[in-house]
Amino acid sequence: MSNAVLAQSAGEMRVSAGLAIGTEAGLDNNGGKALGLGINIGGEYFIVDNISASPSFTYFFESNVGTLPNRFSLRLNTLNIDGRYYLMDSPVEFYGIAGISIASARAESNVSIFGVNQVSSSSDSEVGLNFGIGANLPVTDEIQGNAQMVYNTPLEQLIINLGVVYRIF
């Protein structure tokens, strides 16, 4: 691999996809917070060398407690607009993350009382901050493995992403 391929240069673009793990994105058997799984997709554009804009979307899979007709479900997602600063230009790219997050939550309950099924739902969204660290590990000239850990203030949880990055140009 050449240094030119590994360098983070102005104008470079990348796309990414992977698994997301949220420390409080799911429900346990008692309706409390638990680990939740989801998917994350994103992009990255280098504004100048070593500094990029990185929008992403994380969708956490629905989490349920109980079974129908008595069930409670929760769905979370985040839309993030982050900035990344790459700390060094070596085969492993380490970076810091800071940005804005718009998080959304939707809760739904299904309750059957005396044979009558009642469904209610509520949703909310909040704007906050993301901050964390990450690393890219080269696999080929265009593909990298990615790991990052971000604290998301609207959801008040740590989100760990593990995925693949593809260098477009």
Side-chain angles (χ1 to χ4, degrees), residues 1-168:
M1 268 182 237
S2 71
N3 256 355
V5 172
L6 297 173
Q8 304 88 26
S9 303
E12 182 178 334
M13 292 182 69
R14 302 173 180 180
V15 293
S16 63
L19 177 67
I21 303 165
T23 57
E24 298 185 11
L27 298 171
D28 65 17
N29 292 334
N30 298 317
K33 295 177 181 178
L35 285 178
L37 295 177
I39 55 172
N40 177 274
I41 57 170
E44 185 173 23
Y45 177 77
F46 283 85
I47 301 164
V48 297
D49 293 354
N50 298 338
I51 298 176
S52 67
S54 181
S56 66
F57 180 77
T58 302
Y59 173 82
F60 289 100
F61 302 121
E62 183 176 305
S63 186
N64 299 301
V65 174
T67 58
L68 288 175
N70 299 308
R71 182 177 76 172
F72 180 77
S73 64
L74 175 67
R75 282 178 283 196
L76 303 173
N77 63 66
T78 64
L79 176 62
N80 309 296
I81 302 169
D82 296 327
R84 293 182 180 176
Y85 176 72
Y86 282 81
L87 305 170
M88 63 181 72
D89 184 21
S90 68
V92 178
E93 301 173 342
F94 293 99
Y95 56 88
I97 304 165
I100 297 172
S101 178
I102 303 167
S104 298
R106 180 172 180 79
E108 187 174 287
S109 65
N110 238 340
V111 180
S112 181
I113 301 174
F114 302 116
V116 177
N117 194 28
Q118 296 181 359
V119 178
S120 63
S121 66
S122 179
S123 61
D124 195 11
S125 61
E126 187 174 325
V127 176
L129 302 174
N130 279 332
F131 53 91
I133 58 172
N136 293 327
L137 178 66
V139 177
T140 69
D141 286 349
E142 292 86 21
I143 298 174
Q144 298 172 309
N146 173 261
Q148 71 177 29
M149 187 168 39
V150 176
Y151 185 76
N152 180 279
T153 64
L155 295 179
E156 298 179 352
Q157 72 173 336
L158 190 64
I159 300 173
I160 299 166
N161 293 315
L162 302 170
V164 176
V165 177
Y166 179 74
R167 182 175 175 265
I168 297 172

